[in-house]
Amino acid sequence: MKKSHPFRRVMLASAATVSGIVLLLTLKPSSDPGSAQAAGALPQQTSAAQESAQGGATAKDGTFTGDVVDTQYGEVQVRITVTGGKITKAEAVKAPSGGQSTAISGNAIPKLNAEAVAASTADIDAISGASYTSAGYGKSLQSALDKASAGTGAAAGGGTAQAATVIGDVVDTQYGEVQVRITVTGGKITKAEAVKAPSGGQSTTISGNSIPKLNAAAVAAGTADIDAISGASYTSAGYKKSLQSALDKVPAESDAGAGAAESSAPPAAETSAPPAAAEGGATSNGGGTFTGSVVQTEYGPVQVRVTLTDGKITSASAVQAPSGGRSDQISGDAIPKLNDAALAAGDADIDAVSGASYTSAGYKESLQSALDQAGG
């Protein structure tokens, strides 16, 4: 009879178990998503996830502003420009500020902007020390990309709107308010003007020099991506910000004049081919709204806007007038009288208002330039 060896059987069973475990570990796939992520590598995305990260596979060209995202330290909002389906520019319209947040945003936002352009998706790394701002930035960036996929936003050059006049937000600068009005025709900026600009003292001279250049740059570029004017950095920054807000307000599709953002905006855009001029520069047949050139006077700039209906002046107003100190009272008394005189005369051959000779002269010159525009 054979002797049993229980200890030997235990040893053999243990050895078999260990061999089986070793074999299983050897055969385990090296591409396990869990282990890869634990090691610091992101798991591979499916094609659907990749498309979602990009905000859609067919991002349309244009400028798109993401949703405002509230974070623990303040709001974050991102605006992007898409060209050829890729992000070519990213900027934070809003970012946390005040105290330490100003320094953190100042360090993090430029890096996040650069990452967004490099990645062309919202799948970007958080900036060390700015986790909340980074998270808000990524979320707003994704919403901007979603809008780009849907084609909802201001296309580069003002979108697909047909003849719309819109007014940007009022932007406060160190030297005064800036506000821009644009006319968009056929998806392009055809006219840009500053409804408000810093004035008084040296500011009047600076605005008089920089605003016409900024207007021309806006029309030439078709976007708010324009260069600052030397010696007018604050005014330029305010102008660009207001211009961009105007572009954001341009409707996707509209009829002429339907894009006016405020009830006080002109009832119609400038006519692209005004009829022949009548005496005094008024159109002999037709109408429109025309803004004269800015005229610098000893006490400040004067600029006049007129509306013509059937060749007659039906509305006259001063877009700019001397202000500050005594000038407020003089302009308050003279401008309404000059407006009435323009309506009554139908041309720029109007009398000066007593006590406001400089303002009157500037008004008449700007009025004539508006009528000249009407007459072609």
Side-chain angles (χ1 to χ4, degrees):
M1 184 171 173
K2 229 172 165 186
K3 230 171 164 182
S4 66
H5 299 282
F7 181 73
R8 182 182 295 173
R9 284 198 294 271
V10 170
M11 291 296 292
L12 289 173
S14 298
T17 301
V18 171
S19 298
I21 292 172
V22 171
L23 182 61
L24 285 172
L25 289 173
T26 304
L27 294 175
K28 185 176 181 180
S30 60
S31 60
D32 178 65
S35 61
Q37 189 168 352
L42 291 173
Q44 289 186 341
Q45 292 180 317
T46 63
S47 59
Q50 290 172 344
E51 182 175 333
S52 174
Q54 294 176 9
T58 56
K60 296 175 177 62
D61 289 357
T63 301
F64 306 89
T65 304
D67 298 334
V68 176
V69 178
D70 286 317
T71 74
Q72 186 171 328
Y73 296 99
E75 297 179 337
V76 180
Q77 186 177 31
V78 179
R79 175 183 293 120
I80 59 172
T81 298
V82 178
T83 307
K86 294 182 179 179
I87 299 174
T88 53
K89 181 181 178 183
E91 58 183 325
V93 181
K94 295 183 178 181
S97 62
Q100 186 66 12
S101 293
T102 300
I104 292 173
S105 293
N107 173 62
I109 295 300
K111 295 177 182 178
L112 291 166
N113 291 339
E115 283 193 36
V117 172
S120 271
T121 74
D123 186 15
I124 57 178
D125 294 330
I127 303 300
S128 177
S131 55
Y132 289 99
T133 297
S134 298
Y137 187 102
K139 190 173 181 180
S140 184
L141 172 58
Q142 183 61 62
S143 71
L145 285 165
D146 291 340
K147 293 176 182 179
S149 297
T152 55
T160 58
Q162 301 295 320
T165 299
V166 290
I167 302 176
D169 297 335
V170 175
V171 178
D172 286 317
T173 74
Q174 187 171 328
Y175 296 101
E177 296 180 337
V178 180
Q179 187 177 30
V180 179
R181 174 186 289 117
I182 60 172
T183 299
V184 177
T185 306
K188 296 181 180 179
I189 299 175
T190 53
K191 182 184 177 185
E193 58 181 326
V195 179
K196 293 184 177 182
S199 62
Q202 186 66 13
S203 294
T204 298
T205 303
I206 293 173
S207 292
N209 172 62
S210 62
I211 294 299
K213 296 177 181 178
L214 290 166
N215 292 339
V219 173
T223 72
D225 188 14
I226 57 179
D227 293 331
I229 303 301
S230 177
S233 55
Y234 289 100
T235 298
S236 298
Y239 186 102
K240 291 169 66 176
K241 190 172 182 180
S242 183
L243 172 58
Q244 184 60 64
S245 71
L247 285 167
D248 291 339
K249 295 176 183 179
V250 175
E253 293 181 1
S254 66
D255 296 324
E262 297 181 4
S263 59
S264 60
E270 284 194 48
T271 54
S272 57
E279 184 178 359
T283 54
S284 60
N285 185 13
T289 298
F290 306 89
T291 303
S293 57
V294 177
V295 177
Q296 299 297 332
T297 74
E298 187 171 329
Y299 296 99
V302 179
Q303 187 177 29
V304 179
R305 175 179 292 115
V306 296
T307 298
L308 302 178
T309 305
D310 294 328
K312 295 182 180 179
I313 300 176
T314 53
S315 174
S317 60
V319 179
Q320 296 188 58
S323 61
R326 178 73 173 158
S327 293
D328 287 332
Q329 183 177 344
I330 293 174
S331 292
D333 172 65
I335 294 300
K337 295 177 181 178
L338 291 166
N339 291 339
D340 290 341
L343 290 174
D347 57 32
D349 187 14
I350 57 178
D351 294 331
V353 174
S354 178
S357 55
Y358 288 100
T359 299
S360 298
Y363 186 101
K364 291 170 65 176
E365 186 177 341
S366 183
L367 172 59
Q368 185 60 60
S369 71
L371 291 171
D372 289 342
Q373 291 178 40

